[in-house]
Amino acid sequence: MDPFQRWNEGEEYEVIDDSREHWWQVKNKYREIGYIPSNYVEEKSPGGLRQHNWYVGDMSRQMCEVLLKRENKEGTFVVRNSSSKGIFTLSLFTRISQPHVKHYHIKTNNKKEYFLSEKHAFTAVEDLIYYHKHNSAGLATRLKQTPTSQITCIPTTAGLSHDKWEIDASELSLLEELGSGQFGVVRKGKWRGHIDVAVKMMKEGTMSEDDFIDEAKVMTKLQHPHLVQLYGVCTKHRLICIVTEYMKHGSLLKYLRENERRLSPKTSVLLDMSVQVCSGMEYLEQHNYIHRDLAARNCLVGEGVVVKVADFGLARYVIDDEYTSSGGAKFPIKWAPPEVLGYTRFSSKSDVWAYGKT
């Protein structure tokens, strides 16, 4: 069962096996068994939150603030998942005293009722939101509206289908060139005619291909809202192609240069960008993965100024003077800390150094 052809919004599935992080084996209403992306579904519950336009899922605190401040209207709000599992946070914009965003944890009592003020508890989050649309009851202001220009974060998928990392080149159509660099040319593409992707076409002789292909199987399993998703690779032709998630605004370096006048050092957008990069790098560290080439040119900007770290681990396989020391170890010399220059010792600390240099 091809999940991209058979999956429909609002459809219900019976989960058979959820032991894998990214792909679950399920049964649909026709009793067909197959795999679906785990991050496209949520547990069925009465009045699921995803049906409401005020629920933004895993959107970060910083991104919520950017969204609500951009709207700049009293009482604009969203509800998001808190960093603590199973807890929700209400983010609310107010102009009282000065324009700012307040964040309220939606708590539960021993009856498993939701509340912001203990005097007003409800059996469902929807009922709580309805009440506070008419009564501030301890909030800075009552809830008035949701953002008109919501940032929609389409969930990334670990690979284009279940257990697939080798992509058939015949299923890719190449469009305009997005850029070029030491790795090769990057072009926008379409997978099966409807999924936007970026295709990095490696120059012949610029990388250790066999080693990278083995690593790609691992890299496709790394999945985070602030990491550019590696979908897979094409290896059956003369040039190796790396297929990744498409980010419409290109590199962070290019974005900053093009918007230099608008993005002053005092703007919260710059801080939010930094936090997003930190979030992606924290995930890599938690999974014992070292980037080795963190720089603004290797971070990409997508819809809603979402920033994602790209090309993690790729520097190890590049054959290029800029990436090679006299001892033969491959790393970006300009961003390398003393322990890498002297002893070729990579760690998450060397990534932190590169982050500071960026």
Side-chain angles (χ1 to χ4, degrees):
M1 181 170 68
D2 185 334
F4 284 95
Q5 293 182 355
R6 303 287 299 186
W7 178 84
N8 293 299
E9 184 176 357
E11 190 167 341
E12 296 180 9
Y13 298 93
E14 177 187 346
V15 177
I16 298 173
D17 180 6
D18 61 358
S19 60
R20 299 193 179 197
E21 182 179 359
H22 302 303
W23 289 91
W24 289 352
Q25 188 178 45
V26 299
K27 181 189 299 182
N28 67 10
K29 61 184 178 182
Y30 303 109
R31 304 190 67 78
E32 297 171 318
I33 295 175
Y35 289 87
I36 60 172
S38 60
N39 59 341
Y40 274 46
V41 294
E42 67 174 349
E43 185 176 357
K44 183 181 177 182
S45 60
L49 294 184
R50 292 190 186 277
Q51 65 181 302
H52 301 288
N53 59 5
W54 41 257
Y55 178 66
V56 293
D58 291 327
M59 184 180 290
S60 69
R61 176 190 177 105
Q62 292 76 23
M63 188 63 70
C64 279
E65 292 188 358
V66 170
L67 178 63
L68 295 173
K69 288 177 180 177
R70 181 187 300 164
E71 196 76 10
N72 197 30
K73 293 181 181 178
E74 181 74 15
T76 305
F77 74 98
V78 293
V79 173
R80 58 187 173 84
N81 297 334
S82 176
S83 55
S84 300
K85 189 174 182 179
I87 298 177
F88 301 106
T89 298
L90 171 72
S91 298
L92 172 65
F93 179 83
T94 178
R95 302 183 65 85
I96 296 174
S97 72
Q98 63 177 1
H100 65 291
V101 177
K102 293 187 71 68
H103 303 275
Y104 302 90
H105 283 304
I106 298 177
K107 302 175 183 178
T108 55
N109 58 24
N110 54 12
K111 297 180 181 179
K112 295 186 178 180
E113 295 174 323
Y114 298 96
F115 69 90
L116 293 169
S117 170
E118 289 190 69
K119 296 180 180 178
H120 310 288
F122 305 90
T123 56
V125 174
E126 292 90 336
D127 296 334
L128 179 147
I129 296 301
Y130 180 82
Y131 173 80
H132 286 284
K133 281 185 176 181
H134 299 85
N135 305 274
S136 59
L139 302 182
T141 182
R142 67 179 179 84
L143 310 181
K144 297 180 180 179
Q145 67 269 319
T146 55
T148 56
S149 57
Q150 280 210 19
I151 301 170
T152 303
C153 297
I154 300 172
T156 56
T157 302
L160 295 178
S161 67
H162 170 61
D163 275 351
K164 182 173 182 176
W165 59 271
E166 174 70 43
I167 294 175
D168 188 342
S170 66
E171 296 180 337
L172 285 171
S173 55
L174 299 178
L175 305 174
E176 70 269 20
E177 182 175 321
L178 301 175
S180 61
Q182 74 274 11
F183 298 139
V185 176
V186 181
R187 296 179 65 175
K188 183 179 179 181
K190 292 278 187 182
W191 182 75
R192 291 190 177 179
H194 68 283
I195 297 175
D196 288 332
V197 295
V199 182
K200 194 184 297 286
M201 307 171 69
M202 308 301 291
K203 296 176 185 175
E204 191 170 10
T206 58
M207 74 182 305
S208 175
E209 296 183 5
D210 292 340
D211 291 340
F212 171 74
I213 291 168
D214 288 338
E215 184 71 6
K217 299 175 187 179
V218 177
M219 293 168 68
T220 56
K221 299 181 185 302
L222 294 173
Q223 183 182 26
H224 186 272
H226 297 296
L227 292 183
V228 172
Q229 183 67 51
L230 172 64
Y231 287 146
V233 295
C234 295
T235 65
K236 303 302 183 185
H237 296 276
R238 183 171 58 88
L239 295 179
I240 185 172
C241 293
I242 300 171
V243 184
T244 71
E245 177 183 4
Y246 171 68
M247 302 289 283
K248 66 177 294 185
H249 294 302
S251 78
L252 177 59
L253 180 62
K254 173 188 172 186
Y255 185 86
L256 292 174
R257 286 175 173 172
E258 291 179 348
N259 296 275
E260 184 176 2
R261 294 182 180 179
R262 184 171 63 85
L263 299 173
S264 70
K266 295 182 179 179
T267 180
S268 61
V269 176
L270 290 178
L271 176 60
D272 181 60
M273 289 176 169
S274 301
V275 171
Q276 291 182 67
V277 173
C278 281
S279 179
M281 292 304 297
E282 179 186 29
Y283 174 88
L284 288 181
E285 181 182 12
Q286 289 172 347
H287 287 73
N288 300 313
Y289 214 90
I290 303 169
H291 193 293
R292 287 177 169 81
D293 192 14
L294 180 62
R297 69 181 184 281
N298 286 333
C299 296
L300 301 179
V301 184
E303 191 74 42
V305 199
V306 173
V307 181
K308 301 190 180 188
V309 178
D311 291 342
F312 36 90
L314 198 58
R316 282 175 291 174
Y317 307 104
V318 176
I319 303 170
D320 190 303
D321 289 341
E322 182 180 353
Y323 282 78
T324 306
S325 71
S326 58
K330 303 178 185 68
F331 56 83
I333 297 172
K334 292 181 181 179
W335 283 263
E339 68 270 20
V340 171
L341 291 172
Y343 308 104
T344 322
R345 292 178 181 169
F346 286 97
S347 68
S348 294
K349 293 179 180 179
S350 54
D351 281 343
V352 172
W353 174 282
Y355 177 85
K357 293 282 284 186
T358 299

